[in-house]
Amino acid sequence: SSKLWHLVSLADSTEINALVIDVKDDTGCLLYPSDVKVAQDIGATKCVRTRDVRSRLDTLRAHDIYAIARIVVAKDPLLAERKAHWSVQHRDGGLWRDRIGSAWVDAYNDSVWIYAAQLADEAVRLGFDEVQFDYVRFPDEPKEAMALAILPARKSGESQRAGVKAGIAILVNRVQPLGVPITFDIFGLTSSATGDLGIGQVWEDFITVADVVLPMVYPSHYYRGSYGLAWPNAEPYRVVRNALSEAIERSRPYANAAMIRPFLQAFTLVRRKPRYTPHEMGEQIRAAEELGIDTWVLWNPRSVYQRDSLRPYRSTTTTVPGGAQ
């Protein structure tokens, strides 16, 4: 749509040098018609966003914009509905659903991860520069809700952490030979949590196999009292500084740890003051860069970014990009 041209213009005139593009989002729909058999079998090619992906990638390349393919893994209601035997089941029968009614696939099932890897292979061959996997986890639902869930592919005694670790190994083994960076979106709290947050994500399991990890350190997503702050959403600098300091320390013992590229908040969460303006976004960027992290991604669910929150184009760019999704 015309929004693409707006984003290209934004990248041309500011420090933005990358775009994160949904190849498969959390509806299960694809960006473009796919040759992957599973995608065709479940109808994921019938709800595509564009049919001229090659020309759009050519446009990005012509403007020297790095193209990152985001692929959602476990939250795929389309796949869950069409391949119920790959899905989380309800104890009382039928598919289990989360608080908004979405079905999830079973992250213990290898086929789920293989499907994501096949889409990644296709995206790279089309011309994407990097693959970013999201929802590499189990549902983040209350314990009472998860008590109703049956995960059919789970082996006896297998933990959620083990299930996610096995899944990301499948992705790495299949995508690494393609020669592009392999990156993972993970909860921001993984850098400080002692367990797996009840979703199977442990910081060390990602940083030891990925090229880049993207902790989602959105200040609005931290509870009151986090880092001693009464209202974390109103303290973007301090939240991001604290969260990334923990991430750096957690990675320090590992010589070849993944690069840290945080997701920063470029949206205002309803009923959570203050509104996020260029000041709040700039404070997050400042916090990251003061720690030596000069690569970051802004996220806004509507892909609307305030030009005033970004610095003018710099002729000397970083080797790994900052971007907007």
Side-chain angles (χ1 to χ4, degrees), residues 119-134:
L119 293 175
D121 181 284
E122 184 174 57
V124 172
R125 296 182 191 283
L126 281 169
F128 280 92
D129 300 296
E130 177 177 311
V131 179
Q132 179 190 106
F133 294 103
D134 198 1

Side-chain angles (χ1 to χ4, degrees), residues 167-185:
I168 61 177
I170 290 172
L171 296 178
V172 171
N173 290 337
R174 286 174 171 258
V175 177
Q176 205 165 48
L178 302 176
V180 299
I182 303 169
T183 71
F184 294 99
D185 300 344

Side-chain angles (χ1 to χ4, degrees), residues 228-277:
L229 304 174
W231 193 247
N233 191 49
E235 301 276 2
Y237 172 83
R238 293 176 67 185
V239 170
V240 172
R241 174 99 188 196
N242 282 317
L244 294 182
S245 294
E246 290 178 333
I248 290 168
E249 286 304 310
R250 190 88 172 249
S251 293
R252 199 178 298 281
Y254 300 90
N256 296 312
M259 179 176 287
I260 299 168
R261 183 194 301 160
F263 259 108
L264 304 178
Q265 180 172 331
F267 59 89
T268 296
L269 200 63
V270 178
R271 295 187 295 277
R272 295 229 178 151
K273 296 181 180 179
R275 290 190 59 80
Y276 265 52
T277 68

Side-chain angles (χ1 to χ4, degrees), residues 58 76 104 174 211 289:
D58 286 344
D76 188 332
W104 285 60
R174 286 174 171 258
D211 294 298
E289 292 184 345

Side-chain angles (χ1 to χ4, degrees), residues 52-318:
D52 59 349
V53 66
R54 288 185 186 275
S55 66
R56 291 169 187 265
L57 286 170
D58 286 344
T59 296
L60 299 188
R61 192 170 296 109
H63 288 260
D64 199 26
I65 297 171
Y66 187 86
I68 301 171
R70 174 178 177 260
I71 298 174
V72 170
V73 180
K75 188 177 182 182
D76 188 332
L78 184 59
L79 180 61
E81 299 278 0
R82 302 296 171 83
K83 285 190 176 288
H85 56 293
W86 289 12
S87 305
V88 181
Q89 307 293 312
H90 196 283
R91 187 180 64 187
D92 298 331
L95 297 178
W96 176 91
R97 299 177 186 276
D98 64 17
R99 71 194 82 177
I100 62 171
S102 291
W104 285 60
V105 290
D106 181 0
Y108 286 114
N109 192 317
D110 289 354
S111 296
V112 167
W113 302 87
I114 291 170
Y115 173 46
Q118 290 171 334
L119 293 175
D121 181 284
E122 184 174 57
V124 172
R125 296 182 191 283
L126 281 169
F128 280 92
D129 300 296
E130 177 177 311
V131 179
Q132 179 190 106
F133 294 103
D134 198 1
Y135 285 86
V136 281
R137 59 177 177 84
F138 290 86
D140 57 324
E141 294 289 308
K143 287 183 178 179
E144 55 269 22
M146 292 306 299
L148 302 175
I150 296 174
L151 297 118
R154 182 187 180 194
K155 301 179 183 68
S156 178
E158 188 177 15
S159 67
Q160 289 183 318
R161 177 184 182 180
V164 169
K165 195 171 182 179
I168 61 177
I170 290 172
L171 296 178
V172 171
N173 290 337
R174 286 174 171 258
V175 177
Q176 205 165 48
L178 302 176
V180 299
I182 303 169
T183 71
F184 294 99
D185 300 344
I186 56 179
F187 275 21
L189 287 171
T190 55
S191 64
S192 58
T194 55
D196 71 352
L197 297 173
I199 57 172
Q201 289 188 349
V202 174
W203 183 260
E204 287 78 7
D205 295 345
F206 289 91
I207 65 163
T208 53
V209 298
D211 294 298
V212 181
V213 292
L214 294 100
M216 297 175 283
V217 292
Y218 311 132
S220 63
H221 286 35
Y222 285 78
Y223 295 109
R224 287 190 180 193
S226 297
Y227 305 122
L229 304 174
W231 193 247
N233 191 49
E235 301 276 2
Y237 172 83
R238 293 176 67 185
V239 170
V240 172
R241 174 99 188 196
N242 282 317
L244 294 182
S245 294
E246 290 178 333
I248 290 168
E249 286 304 310
R250 190 88 172 249
S251 293
R252 199 178 298 281
Y254 300 90
N256 296 312
M259 179 176 287
I260 299 168
R261 183 194 301 160
F263 259 108
L264 304 178
Q265 180 172 331
F267 59 89
T268 296
L269 200 63
V270 178
R271 295 187 295 277
R272 295 229 178 151
K273 296 181 180 179
R275 290 190 59 80
Y276 265 52
T277 68
H279 171 74
E280 283 75 20
M281 283 174 264
E283 286 294 273
Q284 294 174 83
I285 293 170
R286 179 169 73 91
E289 292 184 345
E290 284 181 357
L291 294 170
I293 296 174
D294 61 358
T295 172
W296 38 263
V297 182
L298 299 178
W299 182 59
N300 180 293
R302 297 183 296 117
S303 295
V304 175
Y305 300 94
Q306 301 175 57
R307 186 178 297 272
D308 290 346
S309 67
L310 300 163
R311 292 165 292 199
Y313 172 78
R314 293 180 292 177
S315 59
T316 303
T317 58
T318 56

